[in-house]
Each structure stands twice: as C-alpha cells, then as structure tokens.
Amino acid sequence: MALTKSKKQDIFSNVEDIVTSSKSVVFVNFHKLPVSESTKVRRELKNNGITYVVAKKTITKKVLEKKGLKGTMPELPGELALAYSSDLIAPAREIYRFQKEMDKRISILGGIFDGVLQSKEEMIAIAAIPSQKVLYGMFVNLINSPIQGFAVALNAIAEKKQ
C-alpha cells in the first residue's frame, strides 16, 4: 500500500530529527533477518540505550542531501534501518557485534559519526573502538605499569640482599 503525502512528511521529519539530534547514526541492512531475530536485535539495542528505526531509503537520502553533511554518501542496498544514540560509539559497536553473531544477515552500510558521513569501512573501524570503561581501565593500567615494575624491581633487590 502506498504511503500518503502526510505520512511521508511525518517519516521525513522523524528521520530529520534523528540525523539532527543524534551524535552517531548507523545505516543498517537487515535484508535476510527473520522477524524473531529482528525482535531480539531491537530488544538488546533498547537495553543498551540505542534506538533502532526502519526507514525508507529515498526519504533518508533526501534528508541527508538537505542537511548537506560532509563526507561521501554510502551505498544503501537492501532494506534500511537506522540505529542511533547519544553515545558516539555504541550504535556501531552493537550492530557490528550482531553482524558477527548473525552471520552477516544484518550488516553496517555506513553512517554518520559526529556530523560527518562515514563509509562502511570507517564505521566498522569505529565499532572496533573499546567502550569508555575499557578505555579507562587501559589508561589506569598504562599509568600503573611503571610503578608496578619499580615495585617488583625493589622487591627483587630486597630479596637479593637478604
């Protein structure tokens, strides 16, 4: 059934709000994803603070052209969904995790990262960035490492003198 002009306008304004208000948007292809797995994806994304919305490609392209974002518009084959959040990395990381788990029945097509259009490869590279808590742990370990090495060396010297 064809959409009415007012319904298309509502979808256009919804996609425009998503692109404007979100720090990160991932374009998702879910072409061969069964309904049961789609429901699982939506539920897990929602639990992680990520919104997942199915969008029409033509309307999404018109919104992106209107916004005039920097970067190159990625190819959008298959069905299109938008995963977005106020967190910069979380949408890409979670969709990439599903891409690996579900044998590529769901995949990243590209996205918008901090107001710039990104290709598929760039969004996958962004998805590989660890979470903020993991980065904090890595930083603390980096700072602690020289101190720990110094303490081990002092202990070895003390044992040698005894």
Side-chain angles (χ1 to χ4, degrees):
M1 185 167 100
L3 294 174
T4 63
K5 194 168 191 170
S6 63
K7 183 67 175 167
K8 286 182 183 179
Q9 190 61 34
D10 291 342
I11 295 170
F12 185 89
S13 62
N14 185 28
V15 172
E16 191 172 35
D17 289 343
I18 291 169
V19 170
T20 304
S21 64
S22 302
K23 291 184 179 180
S24 178
V25 179
V26 178
F27 305 139
V28 181
N29 180 8
F30 62 97
H31 180 63
K32 296 182 180 180
L33 191 67
V35 174
S36 61
E37 289 181 354
S38 178
T39 305
K40 175 187 172 194
V41 167
R42 285 176 186 266
R43 188 174 297 126
E44 288 190 33
L45 289 175
K46 186 176 181 182
N47 290 340
N48 291 324
I50 301 165
T51 308
Y52 182 85
V53 176
V54 176
K56 294 191 69 61
K57 289 188 282 192
T58 54
I59 292 175
T60 303
K61 287 179 183 178
K62 286 180 183 179
V63 168
L64 295 174
E65 288 171 6
K66 180 183 175 191
K67 288 293 175 189
L69 299 172
K70 296 177 186 175
T72 308
M73 178 68 179
E75 291 290 321
L76 302 174
E79 285 84 24
L80 178 68
L82 305 175
Y84 61 96
S85 172
S86 58
D87 185 342
L88 276 171
I89 301 170
R93 184 177 52 243
E94 291 301 314
I95 295 297
Y96 186 65
R97 180 176 61 87
F98 285 120
Q99 180 176 321
K100 291 191 299 188
E101 283 178 13
M102 297 182 172
D103 201 24
K104 298 191 179 186
R105 288 186 298 260
I106 187 171
S107 61
I108 295 174
L109 298 173
I112 303 169
F113 185 77
D114 206 19
V116 179
L117 285 169
Q118 305 290 331
S119 69
K120 175 182 180 175
E121 292 77 22
E122 291 168 329
M123 287 307 287
I124 290 174
I126 289 167
I129 298 171
S131 69
Q132 191 172 16
K133 288 181 182 179
V134 172
L135 289 173
Y136 285 155
M138 292 168 75
F139 180 70
V140 168
N141 189 34
L142 182 69
I143 291 173
N144 187 36
S145 183
I147 298 168
Q148 187 177 6
F150 184 66
V152 168
L154 285 178
N155 188 34
I157 291 170
E159 286 178 4
K160 193 174 188 180
K161 288 188 176 188
Q162 287 179 354

